[in-house]
Amino acid sequence: MTALAPRPEPAPLPSPYPLIDHLPAVFAEDRFAQRFTAAFDDVLASLINPIDCIGAYVDPLLAPPGFVRWLAGWFGVLLDEQWPLRAQRAVVSEAVDLFRMRGTMAGLRRHLAVVVDGEVAITESGGTSVSTRPRPDPPTDVEHWVRVQVRPSHPGAVSEGALEAVIRAAKPVHVLHSLEVIA
């Protein structure tokens, strides 16, 4: 049995703002001052470098994978861990537009198109109802429904439970729905 070689430690990131540069010139040539400030530079670099790259952290298309889930919390978006990272990034980056269209069939189509890598077919009852009262209860004399058929490009890549959650969140509340995932 061969032993694995230990992984080398990553080289510390250099500080973009060395402290020695901010001291009076008389200390620039002092070896003790250089070593003393370099110790602080090593510690501060791990704090300063991410702050300098904050734009990449808050961009869902560039952020590290673990940070994408944190960004989703900013927008109140629930992500399924089974979704591919591409779909998670797309949902977070389009969250504002998806929320703007929430409750409409166009919003449901767009949300499913972002999440599902494959074909999505939506059939709806197409009816509307009116009321003379403000904020009435959902109508009981008319049945509104939507049927969603999904044919993912990679079977098993999208969970049925996650699709159900997307449909419930994106469709109008009073509309009944059914989902069929075709392998």
Side-chain angles (χ1 to χ4, degrees), residues 162-181:
L163 288 176
E164 284 280 345
V166 167
I167 294 169
R168 274 194 304 278
K171 72 174 179 67
V173 174
H174 67 283
V175 174
L176 302 172
H177 75 274
S178 63
L179 170 66
E180 180 183 3
V181 179

Side-chain angles (χ1 to χ4, degrees), residues 7-70:
R7 293 175 87 178
E9 288 291 322
L13 293 173
S15 175
Y17 312 106
L19 292 177
I20 195 74
D21 294 347
H22 300 284
L23 293 178
V26 71
F27 293 109
E29 299 298 323
D30 184 1
R31 305 268 305 142
F32 174 75
Q34 290 173 355
R35 287 192 315 253
F36 185 74
T37 58
F40 288 107
D41 288 340
D42 290 344
V43 173
L44 292 174
S46 64
L47 300 172
I48 292 171
N49 287 330
I51 292 170
D52 281 350
C53 300
I54 196 70
Y57 278 88
V58 296
D59 183 348
L61 301 177
L62 299 175
F67 210 77
V68 172
R69 298 192 67 75
W70 185 74

Side-chain angles (χ1 to χ4, degrees), residues 45-118:
S46 64
L47 300 172
I48 292 171
N49 287 330
I51 292 170
D52 281 350
C53 300
I54 196 70
Y57 278 88
V58 296
D59 183 348
L61 301 177
L62 299 175
F67 210 77
V68 172
R69 298 192 67 75
W70 185 74
L71 282 174
W74 280 10
F75 296 105
V77 174
L78 296 175
L79 298 177
D80 187 342
E81 292 181 12
Q82 294 180 354
W83 290 348
L85 184 58
R86 175 206 58 78
Q88 292 180 23
R89 289 180 188 278
V91 168
V92 174
S93 68
E94 296 191 27
V96 173
D97 290 332
L98 292 175
F99 279 128
R100 186 178 299 125
M101 297 188 316
R102 183 177 246 175
T104 66
M105 285 301 117
L108 175 61
R109 281 188 185 90
R110 182 69 192 126
H111 206 133
L112 288 170
V114 168
V115 172
V116 175
D117 181 23

